[in-house]
Amino acid sequence: MTEHSYQPAEIEAKWQARWEATQLYRSTVDWSKPKHYALTMLPYPSGDLHIGHWFAMTPSDARARYMRMKGYNVLFPMGFDAFGLPAEQAAISRNIHPWKWTYANIERMRAQLKSMGNMFDWQREIVSSVPEYYKWTEWFFKRFFENDLAYRGEALVNWSDALQTVLANEQVIDGKDERLGQPVVQKLMTQWFFRYTRYADEMLNFDKLDWPEPIRNSQTNWIGRSEGAKVTFKALTSHGEQPLVVFTTRPDTLWGATFMVLAPEHPLVDALTTPEQRDAVEAYKAATARATEIERLSTEREKTGVFTGGYAINPVNQKRIPVWIADYVMISYGTGAIMAVPAGDQRDFEFARKFGLEVVPVVQPADQPPLNGATMAEAWEGAGVIVNSDWLDGTLSNGEKGRKNPAIAAVIDWLEAQGIGSETINYRLRDWLISRQRYWGSPIPIVYDPQGQPHAVPDEELPVELPEDVDFVPTGRSPLTYHEPFFKYKDGWRRETDTMDTFMCSSWYHLRYLSPHCDHAPFDPEEAAYWLPVDTYTGGAEHATMHLLYARWFNKAIRDLGVFDEAKKIAAAHGRSVDGLFDEPYLQLRNQGQVLGGKRIGDYVVCRGRREGGKLYADHVEVIAPIDAPTTDDPTVVHGELMKRVEHTLFVGEAMQLVELVAGGTVSIPDIEGENNVNQLKQHLEVMRMSKSKGNVVNPDELVRKYGADTVRAYLMFAFDWQMGGPWDEANVVGVTRWLDDTWALVHATVPPTGDPAAERDLIRAAHQMIDRVGSSLERFSFNTAVAGLMTFRNALKAALREGQIGRAAFEEAVSVYLRCMAPITPHIAEELWEHMGWPYSVHTQPFPEYDPEKAKSDMVELVVMVNGKPREKLLVPVGIDEAQAEALALASEAVQRHLNGSQPKRVVHIPARGGQEPKVNLVL
RNA sequence: GCCGAUGUGGUGAAAUGGCAGACACGACCGCCUCAAAAGCGGUUCCGAAAGGGUGUGGGUUCGACUCCCACCAUCGGCACCA
């Protein structure tokens, strides 16, 4: 027995205080050591830390700690993304200033974050809403403005009535804002933009990045690059000939363009429309404007459109073709106008058939009878040979996009020579709209002269401070427009009164951690030279096309403005390779999954038996489809969804009727063959996102009080694959509780001075297998197998100590390895037990144990004997057994003899032991 | 429609192309106890066994949860994108 048991509350408070007092997690530049910048996404100070924060941050901490023990100088900072709409919304509904609300939340959340026991260096904390921080957000804006990366422009923008502000494209999902899910409308407004598309191509290149495929895929889709050409048609308008430019990815089909379609909002529509068509066109435009607000998204909709009465000249063959308007052409993509090639594009084909327009085939697929424009049933979008196209006839159009297609390459060259078109890359990506008509954000450091021209405020006036005494109730205009002391700059000059999108603040926070109080630059170049770029970034996948893309753009933009130049010189002076060093902000990215609230539909059961009191004693329970539910009111039958089960007691249906399965009672589940068992029944469990309204929020503070931080950490790491997440189920915490209780007792055990060498060798072998397992698991973010490796060792240590054959020296060696392997995952108990062993502070500054394959090896192994790839027998053999011996033993084995039945194997494959696996012999019959 | 991810026991889940189900929860049996809890020991994919099992159907391979093709289901990104 131990003198006292494991009391997490005591030891966690004690060690957190000691770590802070000794500055154990202070990270400073040290050029003699390799660095590792581990970053986890900073929280928004919305009130309380939830279990998702723990799930994101504590495994990230374990990884950072592991890297530190592996010899890296690790930076693992934390801060608060403190500007933004939620603070303002909360402030409005509670009538409290956003400033007060935000800072109160930060106080609270900082304490909660500290309870995790993470190795955050709190001296590097940042808060994005303090002037010390946003001075530099403004400074970056100013640099962008001065270098034509920020501009003021009029554009159709996303306007949210609910939020009373404009939003970036990224913040609009299916026509609704991402915060409240309220409709967003298109409005023509003058706003601030960043030249996002300037880096589109570079952002499509992920060569330097170790990022998850789904994120790269989302970003690639979001940027939406397509190769093609711009071609200038001649519009015959009421004001004479006017150029009408279209973007096409299929310039090889130009000769098949038999009409044109413009988006109803296109500027040339009015000039093209003839008096006879005027009414129809106006009516269609009005209808489109209405439809935009509802749902213009539906892919299945039948084509609609109206003839403008006007014509254009196809520049390749001088053909006069009609110009239509239709809502399937989007004003926001390409040039808002298309050449329609009905024979080669299914949408154009449908449109042509509906309105009786001409179809001229220009790509003739091989192995098919010649296409006939009048009779073909659908467009041919694939490869083929060009026809009906003058000089291009006979060229191969191989189905590729861009210059890889010979026909497209030939046409582009020709268009450029003729001066009627040019090769063009078009992006789905729009420029980044960063102005917001709200109060709680970083001011935009711009002033307007009396003529309304924007000028940047001088550097010495930065930061433009956000005034506090503002009436911030939203009116559709920035609250700052009502604050005269703020907007009045000098005679006749006005300040910009919009504020910046908070994604601007979070695009560079990883730089401010480097030197949060630096007052002459956004960051100290020496710190940047050492720490940048971020080596490992962890956080949620929901930021794929927002924060993670903005931050990449931001990084590339400031790199080209020379912001990293000095850091680059310093890094080079220390012998670091600086080529491309600052091209990307985050080298490795890993996304955690989500902890959900629980879901599973229970089996629909029919229980039959005898009723006694309020209970049914069932001798048979059958799982059926709910549709087959009996319609009887027989009291000896209970049916419904299985909501819950405790041993042999079932709770059935919404009414939770009690059913007791009697001894010898049977269960039948048609999906599972054979005789079924009561514990095979599926019970109802709700899985959904945790939210306050659903009342399924798990409060981490309570869990910490109940189990301790180490248990919560380890359980979150153990419960699911970290990159997948899953439903929260507190019932399983007990496995981790037992593990730590056991560990406590085992390390406190009394052991004899000497033991049995064989048993000791076995224990040390188990320890080295653990090192390998825990280390490689943490390396690849596989936290659940790391914990499993530790538990496996616990089992070995427990069994060994029970036998009483472990001596003091072997015990200490094993415990030393064990505690150092535990330290990244459960830092408090590891530290406490390390101290208990009498070893010097701190376990966290110890090296991670070195894996010794020799010590991990055993003397005997199981030789796996396989027949046609199926394992049939295992033979215990000495570890160094050679191929001939192994094959002879395998051939002689009982199972093989049975399978051979007197014949000879066709082939014998020997698979030697490697990578900790057993040797195998496969016999092919 | 295009692109991507996922699919394994009663449950959470493991498995560089090499013993499928490690580790844990639950359940069952036993020990301990006057009793219960805790604890301890054992069993737990199906099958008596031979053998069969990783969403379905093919393929590659001596050998496939893993690689390839097609399909089904769920989730995510893009979407009348020219």
Side-chain angles (χ1 to χ4, degrees):
Chain A
M1 272 322 285
T2 57
E3 56 265 51
H4 63 291
S5 59
Y6 171 44
Q7 301 293 342
E10 261 168 52
I11 66 165
E12 286 171 4
K14 167 182 150 191
W15 287 114
Q16 283 168 19
R18 177 105 184 257
W19 293 334
E20 200 166 333
T22 58
Q23 301 216 5
L24 188 66
Y25 304 127
R26 179 82 184 113
S27 34
T28 52
V29 171
D30 177 355
W31 286 97
S32 70
K33 281 165 95 180
K35 64 93 185 185
H36 181 79
Y37 188 172
L39 183 68
T40 187
M41 289 179 187
L42 81 180
Y44 184 82
S46 55
D48 268 301
L49 226 50
H50 54 77
I51 199 74
H53 290 115
W54 275 72
F55 188 59
M57 292 176 185
T58 57
S60 302
D61 174 64
R63 183 98 182 348
R65 287 174 174 279
Y66 169 74
M67 294 305 283
R68 171 167 161 151
M69 292 179 80
K70 288 300 269 185
Y72 290 92
N73 187 18
V74 174
L75 172 60
F76 190 51
M78 186 39 60
F80 298 92
D81 182 21
F83 268 140
L85 279 174
E88 215 167 320
Q89 303 289 73
I92 292 159
S93 64
R94 281 160 227 219
N95 196 26
I96 172 177
H97 198 279
W99 187 91
K100 266 195 168 161
W101 184 84
T102 301
Y103 295 118
N105 285 342
I106 287 177
E107 283 300 311
R108 185 184 173 78
M109 289 174 76
R110 191 186 289 121
Q112 290 176 315
L113 284 163
K114 287 185 174 177
S115 78
M116 290 176 175
N118 281 358
M119 57 171 290
F120 294 133
D121 178 356
W122 284 104
Q123 293 184 47
R124 292 177 178 272
E125 178 191 334
I126 58 105
V127 175
S128 66
S129 59
V130 300
E132 190 184 45
Y133 185 97
Y134 68 70
K135 171 179 178 179
W136 302 104
T137 308
E138 294 177 8
W139 185 87
F140 281 121
F141 181 98
K142 195 182 158 189
R143 298 285 94 80
F144 293 156
F145 175 71
E146 289 164 347
N147 290 278
D148 189 39
L149 280 160
Y151 67 93
R152 204 167 143 74
E154 189 180 60
L156 270 179
V157 298
N158 304 299
W159 171 260
S160 164
D161 250 350
L163 296 170
Q164 289 285 304
T165 183
V166 297
L167 296 170
N169 277 4
E170 288 76 3
Q171 292 155 353
V172 180
I173 295 156
D174 288 345
K176 297 174 180 129
D177 75 84
E178 53 128 11
R179 289 215 55 81
L180 303 177
Q182 295 300 311
V184 168
V185 298
Q186 301 294 306
K187 254 192 179 174
L188 197 64
M189 294 176 79
T190 301
Q191 300 286 332
W192 284 99
F193 293 90
F194 286 165
R195 298 203 188 275
Y196 209 24
T197 48
R198 187 170 289 182
Y199 290 97
D201 263 331
E202 203 187 333
M203 292 195 291
L204 282 168
N205 182 349
F206 296 93
D207 288 352
K208 293 194 176 79
L209 301 181
D210 172 15
W211 280 28
E213 170 81 28
I215 301 286
R216 299 196 313 241
N217 173 44
S218 290
Q219 293 201 347
T220 303
N221 280 343
W222 187 257
I223 293 167
R225 180 184 205 266
S226 41
E227 289 178 23
K230 274 189 177 158
V231 183
T232 308
F233 285 59
K234 273 178 253 166
L236 308 174
T237 74
S238 47
H239 319 301
E241 270 187 21
Q242 294 211 23
L244 173 50
V245 181
V246 299
F247 172 75
T248 175
T249 57
R250 293 296 303 275
D252 56 324
T253 63
L254 260 167
W255 281 262
T258 51
F259 59 102
M260 298 187 78
V261 187
L262 308 190
E265 303 89 343
H266 195 280
L268 278 179
V269 170
D270 280 346
L272 276 160
T273 303
T274 56
E276 310 80 69
Q277 291 298 103
R278 180 74 56 198
D279 289 349
V281 166
E282 290 307 323
Y284 189 79
K285 282 173 72 171
T288 307
R290 269 197 313 277
T292 314
E293 288 166 35
I294 315 159
E295 290 289 50
R296 200 164 138 183
L297 299 163
S298 164
T299 321
E300 303 292 297
R301 266 177 55 202
E302 206 182 316
K303 298 279 172 294
T304 59
V306 174
F307 181 39
T308 60
Y311 288 85
I313 303 293
N314 184 340
V316 300
N317 56 11
Q318 309 309 315
K319 238 168 113 173
R320 189 165 163 273
I321 57 177
V323 181
W324 288 61
I325 60 171
D327 65 4
Y328 79 91
V329 176
M330 303 290 138
I331 188 66
S332 56
Y333 185 81
T335 61
I338 62 160
M339 64 174 204
V341 184
D345 181 288
Q346 187 59 25
R347 291 158 305 177
D348 297 346
F349 183 84
E350 285 165 20
F351 194 85
R353 282 290 184 259
K354 175 153 180 191
F355 295 106
L357 297 158
E358 194 187 5
V359 178
V360 177
V362 283
V363 178
Q364 173 62 44
D367 312 323
Q368 272 189 43
L371 294 177
N372 179 332
T375 59
M376 57 197 289
E378 57 182 11
W380 173 253
E381 299 185 348
V385 170
I386 302 291
V387 294
N388 297 326
S389 300
D390 194 9
W391 61 268
L392 192 63
D393 282 0
T395 314
L396 175 70
S397 182
N398 62 7
E400 299 271 358
K401 296 285 185 190
R403 284 195 174 268
K404 279 177 283 187
N405 186 324
I408 292 178
V411 172
I412 286 175
D413 288 342
W414 182 81
L415 288 171
E416 287 179 349
Q418 303 284 310
I420 49 177
S422 61
E423 186 171 10
T424 305
I425 311 291
N426 193 60
Y427 299 95
R428 204 199 70 93
L429 193 70
R430 305 262 67 86
D431 275 347
W432 176 8
L433 168 58
I434 66 116
S435 41
R436 296 289 180 276
Q437 291 69 49
R438 298 300 294 250
Y439 163 70
W440 193 235
S442 174
I444 294 174
I446 291 290
V447 287
Y448 296 94
D449 64 26
Q451 285 71 48
Q453 286 307 302
H455 302 267
V457 304
D459 274 0
E460 57 276 15
E461 288 179 27
L462 294 183
V464 174
E465 285 206 39
L466 194 61
E468 271 180 47
D469 53 335
V470 168
D471 179 7
F472 45 80
V473 175
T475 58
R477 294 172 67 193
S478 170
L480 295 175
T481 56
Y482 304 104
H483 193 283
E484 198 176 319
F486 177 82
F487 70 68
K488 237 180 120 170
Y489 183 61
K490 59 187 182 193
D491 277 347
W493 290 57
R494 267 182 82 96
R495 278 190 201 281
E496 171 62 63
T497 50
D498 283 358
T499 55
M500 283 187 236
D501 180 5
T502 48
F503 279 113
M504 173 82 180
C505 312
S506 57
S507 289
W508 71 281
Y509 76 106
H510 59 286
L511 302 175
R512 193 63 185 167
Y513 283 140
L514 300 173
S515 43
H517 308 298
C518 182
D519 59 4
H520 60 276
F523 55 84
D524 180 313
E526 163 95 15
E527 296 264 347
Y530 181 70
W531 294 111
L532 291 182
V534 171
D535 295 284
T536 300
Y537 194 23
T538 51
E542 67 275 14
H543 290 110
T545 55
M546 296 196 273
H547 163 62
L548 289 169
L549 201 53
Y550 293 134
R552 291 182 69 207
W553 179 88
F554 197 99
N555 186 84
K556 291 169 191 303
I558 65 174
R559 173 202 60 194
D560 290 348
L561 296 181
V563 172
F564 295 119
D565 285 358
E566 204 177 329
K568 205 168 180 173
K569 273 183 219 148
I570 297 169
H574 280 91
R576 279 184 82 182
S577 159
V578 293
D579 194 33
L581 187 63
F582 300 103
D583 284 352
E584 289 283 351
Y586 318 124
L587 296 182
Q588 183 186 44
L589 175 74
R590 289 295 180 271
N591 303 115
Q592 79 276 2
Q594 265 193 352
V595 180
L596 301 165
K599 154 191 112 182
R600 202 186 314 134
I601 304 293
D603 280 329
Y604 199 93
V605 292
V606 183
C607 314
R608 293 166 207 276
R610 84 198 137 79
R611 180 165 290 277
E612 218 175 287
K615 233 179 188 179
L616 183 84
Y617 290 82
D619 44 44
H620 187 67
V621 173
E622 189 184 1
V623 174
I624 59 161
I627 196 151
D628 299 329
T631 51
T632 166
D633 43 58
D634 184 346
T636 65
V637 177
V638 165
H639 63 91
E641 187 187 340
L642 179 62
M643 306 304 285
K644 194 180 162 190
R645 176 179 63 89
V646 178
E647 315 273 292
H648 284 88
T649 307
L650 313 180
F651 297 77
V652 178
E654 295 290 354
M656 301 285 264
Q657 302 172 77
L658 285 180
V659 175
E660 179 85 20
L661 186 68
V662 301
T666 56
V667 176
S668 56
I669 306 169
D671 290 347
I672 306 172
E673 277 182 318
E675 225 178 276
N676 303 119
N677 187 317
V678 65
N679 58 32
Q680 286 171 280
L681 290 170
K682 274 190 191 145
Q683 302 168 49
H684 179 93
L685 185 74
E686 295 262 306
V687 168
M688 44 180 125
R689 285 181 79 128
M690 289 187 186
S691 75
K692 280 184 187 152
S693 60
K694 288 173 196 139
N696 63 348
V697 175
V698 176
N699 181 340
D701 293 352
E702 240 165 71
L703 292 171
V704 171
R705 262 197 298 281
K706 208 159 147 192
Y707 303 106
D710 280 339
T711 303
V712 177
R713 289 170 64 102
Y715 179 59
L716 285 169
M717 293 186 222
F718 183 60
F720 347 84
D721 177 338
W722 184 69
Q723 304 189 50
M724 302 278 260
W728 172 260
D729 185 358
E730 195 175 327
N732 297 332
V733 175
V734 66
V736 172
T737 304
R738 284 177 192 152
W739 167 52
L740 293 180
D741 283 343
D742 279 356
T743 298
W744 182 273
L746 290 167
V747 174
H748 281 83
T750 326
V751 291
T754 56
D756 169 45
E760 292 182 340
R761 232 181 5 257
D762 284 347
L763 183 63
I764 299 303
R765 177 181 313 130
H768 278 266
Q769 284 164 353
M770 163 177 65
I771 298 170
D772 185 38
R773 220 166 142 207
V774 173
S776 65
S777 293
L778 290 178
E779 204 79 60
R780 62 198 156 87
F781 299 82
S782 177
F783 301 100
N784 52 350
T785 57
V787 176
L790 293 167
M791 287 177 169
T792 306
F793 182 75
R794 175 270 314 259
N795 294 341
L797 183 61
K798 199 171 177 178
L801 291 188
R802 193 164 47 228
E803 299 298 321
Q805 291 173 327
I806 305 300
R808 187 73 207 174
F811 174 72
E812 290 197 359
E813 184 180 349
V815 169
S816 164
V817 167
Y818 185 38
L819 295 179
R820 283 180 289 152
C821 285
M822 280 177 83
I825 291 163
T826 52
H828 310 86
I829 188 174
E831 187 81 290
E832 175 71 20
L833 293 174
W834 186 261
E835 185 191 52
H836 165 79
M837 293 299 289
W839 296 327
Y841 180 79
S842 155
V843 69
H844 301 296
T845 54
Q846 299 295 317
F848 196 78
E850 209 53 58
Y851 171 63
D852 181 348
E854 282 310 308
K855 285 191 175 174
K857 243 186 212 162
S858 43
D859 311 328
M860 299 291 278
V861 282
E862 281 187 331
L863 173 71
V864 180
V865 178
M866 303 195 285
V867 175
N868 290 334
K870 288 272 177 204
R872 294 301 181 204
E873 192 157 341
K874 290 164 198 174
L875 305 170
L876 204 60
V877 301
V879 99
I881 190 166
D882 70 30
E883 188 170 334
Q885 284 171 311
E887 286 176 9
L889 278 171
L891 264 172
S893 77
E894 197 196 314
V896 169
Q897 286 304 316
R898 190 172 61 233
H899 276 94
L900 277 175
N901 204 10
S903 63
Q904 284 299 307
K906 283 196 203 123
R907 189 171 160 191
V908 180
V909 182
H910 177 253
I911 304 113
R914 57 173 177 237
Q917 286 167 357
E918 283 69 22
K920 294 168 197 77
V921 173
N922 188 19
L923 298 136
V924 187
L925 302 191

